[in-house]
Amino acid sequence: MYPKELKYTKTHEWAREDDGFITVGITSFAAEELSDIVYVGLPSEGGKVEKGSSFATLESVKAVSDVYSPVSGKIHEVNHGLQDHPELLNKDPYGEGWIISVIPVEKGELNDFMNAEEYEKFVEEEKGK
Amino acid sequence: MKRTPLYEEHIKLGAKMVEFGGWEMPLNYPPGILTEHLTTRKFGGLFDVSHMGRFLISGQDALPFLQYTLTNNAAALLPGQSQYTIIPNHDGGAVDDAYLYRIDENEYILVVNAANLEKDWVWLQKYRQKFPQLIFEDRTAGIAMLALQGPRAKAVLEVILGDMRKLPEPARNNLTTVEIFGAKVPIARTGYTGEPICFELFPPAKIAARLWDKLLEVGKKEGIVPVGLGARDTLRLEAGLPLYGHELGIDVKGKSIPVFALPVARLAVSFGKIKGEYIGREALMKQFQEIELRLEDRLDTPKEKLLVPKIIMPMAISKNSIARAGCQVYVNENLVGNVTSGTVVPYWKTEGTGIKSKPGAESGRRAICLAYLDADLKEGQGTKVVIRDKFANGVIVERHIGSEAAPYARPLLIEE
């Protein structure tokens, strides 16, 4: 149920590497847990992100939550379309609901993260808690 | 975790289930909280509220018992009427808030909050020895509870009952008992959404699923959808209705809130002769006197000695910020209180004006909240709300929705 080509964090972000850029979003599980997302606080292009720190905030009807960067680097592009259409995060979290793309400081950082199968198991454990 | 008689229906409908007050309840169905909220306002929504506690109170001592343990004047209810009431403690605070339905001459249903059921039961038990002719039963499992709320709700019940004269009289709080699927079902004109057209039904648990399915089947033609607890909370917040643990009883930090901090308390607390002596009356009377003096502009008690220093008020929040429970509120750099419940709600942009307005095709969103603020603040007062270390602009408003344009609840917006 989770796309095989992506890597996953324990804080429920996904990351994908293409041509040295790393695209980051939130997983369908995270989107569903948040319920309808109504506002997205986005960073600026050219800014820096640090591995494990928050770079965006998502507000849903229920609560506010942070999105954490899986890598350190420079923000190359921000999906500004989310500002007017935050619902894309719920409707298409792996496609049009991507949040930022980053030029990472180091290569190969994604290797440490979970693959789809491991993430699915992780989610099941989280649900059981 | 406990399950209502409608659990299977929720699963079939694809609901996202969550724990609430010890119950496994639908948070939302596939359309999601925002859509369910909007649909309720334009067409209607069907809610499973069987998790609420239901006590059946009967016998000759029913009325004296209710008079002693609740704040409102239960003697004012004729059979077929209901009222909002509070279960007071001895110190001017609330054990819970509740709705009292007089379904028959000597038979009442008291509906209490799911999370407080056990606490309320134990509390009320303490006072029953004084009333030997009292039958006091927890019927939460035996009687289900459904809420059908919104502009098209009446049309659905007319089809199911086959005769509109069977409905309770068209004014809030009226109640009647009808027969559905061979069972007696009390239906009241009450609800927790702010909808001018609202019904709550109390079917026996054994026919609850059948009735739910029937209401949805007939309701579908009217645009009515099932609605979960997520939208139930955004609807009640938009309607300015209190929630135990936020605006009533204890606040989000666990501190006791005086009953009269809630403006609606004025309608739910009686000091009349018929009402007589009851738990907490003296403490409540003192709060009431203070509130009256403030209204008359004759209050000279120093702030630190006030019994009701803060009042629950609706507040609108400027664009792109969402206040949440616990956020601090400032006026001119003075801390004046905090947000008790806050979220974003969707609304229909209206067509037409005043009582002729109705929901249009487009929707918008706005951040609203209820806040517990210094009692001397007035409607129209601008505020600064601390949201994640930043200040957002707020303004105290009278209400977030109006119901003058029935059958629709109309959004009341602030000008940015």
Side-chain angles (χ1 to χ4, degrees):
Chain A
M1 72 182 282
Y2 299 103
K4 292 254 184 288
E5 68 278 17
L6 306 179
K7 290 287 196 175
Y8 298 89
T9 69
K10 286 187 176 175
T11 43
H12 306 288
E13 291 85 15
W14 58 262
R16 184 182 59 220
E17 190 165 355
D18 315 286
D19 300 331
F21 296 104
I22 290 176
T23 308
V24 184
I26 60 163
T27 67
S28 50
F29 172 74
E32 204 177 296
E33 284 296 294
L34 276 167
S35 76
D36 288 344
I37 295 163
V38 290
Y39 176 72
V40 186
L42 293 171
S44 311
E45 274 148 11
K48 288 211 159 81
V49 286
E50 266 183 64
K51 185 172 179 166
S53 22
S54 163
F55 68 86
T57 54
L58 305 179
E59 300 250 16
S60 76
V61 179
K62 273 168 62 194
V64 55
S65 79
D66 286 296
V67 189
Y68 300 96
S69 180
V71 294
S72 296
K74 198 167 102 176
I75 299 173
H76 172 65
E77 203 179 354
V78 173
N79 184 2
H80 293 289
L82 296 176
Q83 218 110 55
D84 286 336
H85 297 285
E87 69 276 8
L88 291 173
L89 285 156
N90 293 101
K91 282 185 186 151
D92 191 10
Y94 306 111
E96 286 191 68
W98 66 278
I99 304 173
I100 55 168
S101 88
V102 178
I103 306 168
V105 177
E106 287 175 50
K107 290 220 159 109
E109 274 201 272
L110 291 186
N111 297 339
D112 304 340
F113 292 106
M114 291 178 272
N115 64 28
E117 208 176 304
E118 289 162 337
Y119 180 66
E120 191 168 348
K121 259 188 221 155
F122 176 74
V123 166
E124 286 311 311
E125 280 166 27
E126 290 272 292
K127 278 185 189 165
K129 273 179 195 167
Chain B
M1 253 190 289
K2 289 178 277 187
R3 289 174 177 177
T4 77
L6 300 169
Y7 175 81
E8 296 294 334
E9 314 309 306
H10 302 317
I11 299 298
K12 272 187 244 165
L13 288 163
K16 176 174 168 57
M17 304 298 284
V18 291
E19 192 273 337
F20 182 80
W23 294 79
E24 202 172 352
M25 296 299 291
L27 177 70
N28 58 269
Y29 299 89
I33 296 172
L34 296 169
T35 304
E36 289 168 25
H37 182 120
L38 284 171
T39 308
T40 304
R41 293 275 184 246
K42 195 184 254 183
F43 303 107
L46 179 65
F47 306 69
D48 176 13
V49 288
S50 305
H51 63 303
M52 305 283 289
R54 280 169 299 289
F55 299 139
L56 195 69
I57 297 154
S58 57
Q60 277 178 23
D61 277 341
L63 180 61
F65 173 73
L66 295 169
Q67 290 291 51
Y68 187 69
T69 54
L70 304 175
T71 58
N72 212 337
N73 179 20
L77 292 180
L78 298 172
Q81 291 182 336
S82 62
Q83 65 187 192
Y84 179 64
T85 193
I86 287 163
I87 306 175
N89 65 23
H90 296 279
D91 316 314
V95 176
D96 202 357
D97 63 344
Y99 232 91
L100 181 66
Y101 299 84
R102 187 173 182 188
I103 54 173
D104 219 326
E105 190 62 34
N106 268 326
E107 201 170 36
Y108 298 82
I109 296 176
L110 185 68
V111 175
V112 301
N113 281 300
N116 287 339
L117 172 80
E118 241 160 85
K119 181 183 77 170
D120 295 348
W121 175 259
V122 171
W123 174 269
L124 292 170
Q125 286 294 336
K126 283 199 288 192
Y127 302 97
R128 65 178 294 185
Q129 308 91 293
K130 294 187 181 181
F131 306 92
Q133 301 295 315
L134 177 75
I135 302 159
F136 180 52
E137 305 164 278
D138 177 5
R139 296 293 297 276
T140 306
I143 308 171
M145 186 169 171
L146 313 183
L148 183 66
Q149 312 270 304
R152 306 297 300 157
K154 187 165 144 266
V156 172
L157 287 179
E158 279 171 13
V159 170
I160 289 173
L161 299 175
D163 183 349
M164 65 174 285
R165 284 168 301 180
K166 287 183 184 163
L167 285 174
E169 291 295 312
R172 202 176 156 79
N173 289 334
N174 281 320
L175 166 89
T176 188
T177 300
V178 300
E179 208 178 282
I180 303 176
F181 303 136
K184 287 211 158 106
V185 181
I187 299 180
R189 290 199 183 250
T190 52
Y192 194 47
T193 56
E195 280 301 315
I197 298 184
C198 54
F199 299 94
E200 287 178 310
L201 297 85
F202 300 86
K206 60 178 196 295
I207 69 151
R210 243 178 107 190
L211 179 56
W212 169 272
D213 291 344
K214 185 76 184 169
L215 287 166
L216 277 187
E217 181 200 316
V218 177
K220 204 172 183 178
K221 293 168 200 142
E222 303 288 344
I224 286 172
V225 296
V227 180
L229 293 186
R232 179 170 156 85
D233 190 49
T234 56
L235 288 160
R236 74 93 195 165
L237 179 48
E238 193 179 32
L241 297 167
L243 174 63
Y244 183 89
H246 290 257
E247 287 82 30
L248 179 108
I250 48 165
D251 65 16
V252 283
K253 289 176 186 125
K255 275 183 69 182
S256 178
I257 302 172
V259 165
F260 275 92
L262 206 61
V264 71
R266 297 181 68 86
L267 306 172
V269 181
S270 167
F271 300 108
K273 273 205 192 74
I274 296 166
K275 174 69 180 168
E277 180 52 35
Y278 61 93
I279 295 167
R281 183 180 189 277
E282 202 181 325
L284 292 173
M285 185 57 139
K286 285 184 183 149
Q287 291 179 18
F288 176 72
Q289 285 163 343
E290 184 183 293
I291 297 278
E292 286 295 295
L293 284 177
R294 185 188 298 286
L295 278 178
E296 293 162 16
D297 220 6
R298 292 196 292 131
L299 187 66
D300 50 14
T301 315
K303 223 173 185 177
E304 61 279 6
K305 288 195 175 159
L306 289 172
L307 298 169
V308 190
K310 288 181 170 28
I311 300 275
I312 302 289
M313 307 181 195
M315 191 163 67
I317 306 292
S318 64
K319 253 189 156 172
N320 292 342
S321 308
I322 304 167
R324 307 281 181 182
C327 286
Q328 292 183 323
V329 182
Y330 286 82
V331 169
N332 301 332
E333 295 174 17
N334 297 314
L335 181 64
V336 295
N338 63 276
V339 172
T340 53
S341 297
T343 188
V344 164
V345 292
Y347 63 90
W348 292 108
K349 294 180 180 169
T350 50
E351 288 170 358
T353 52
I355 60 162
K356 283 190 174 160
S357 69
K358 58 176 192 179
E362 270 183 56
S363 67
R365 284 173 198 174
R366 56 182 174 148
I368 59 167
C369 68
L370 289 170
Y372 190 34
L373 304 178
D374 282 356
D376 54 2
L377 294 172
K378 301 254 181 335
E379 193 190 319
Q381 173 71 54
T383 62
K384 299 273 181 204
V385 185
V386 185
I387 301 174
R388 293 166 69 88
D389 302 326
K390 284 183 194 148
F391 279 116
N393 293 318
V395 58
I396 297 171
V397 295
E398 186 199 359
R399 298 170 295 165
H400 294 305
I401 53 168
S403 51
E404 310 81 15
Y408 298 108
R410 184 167 63 101
L412 303 173
L413 308 175
I414 50 160
E415 285 177 20
E416 289 277 347

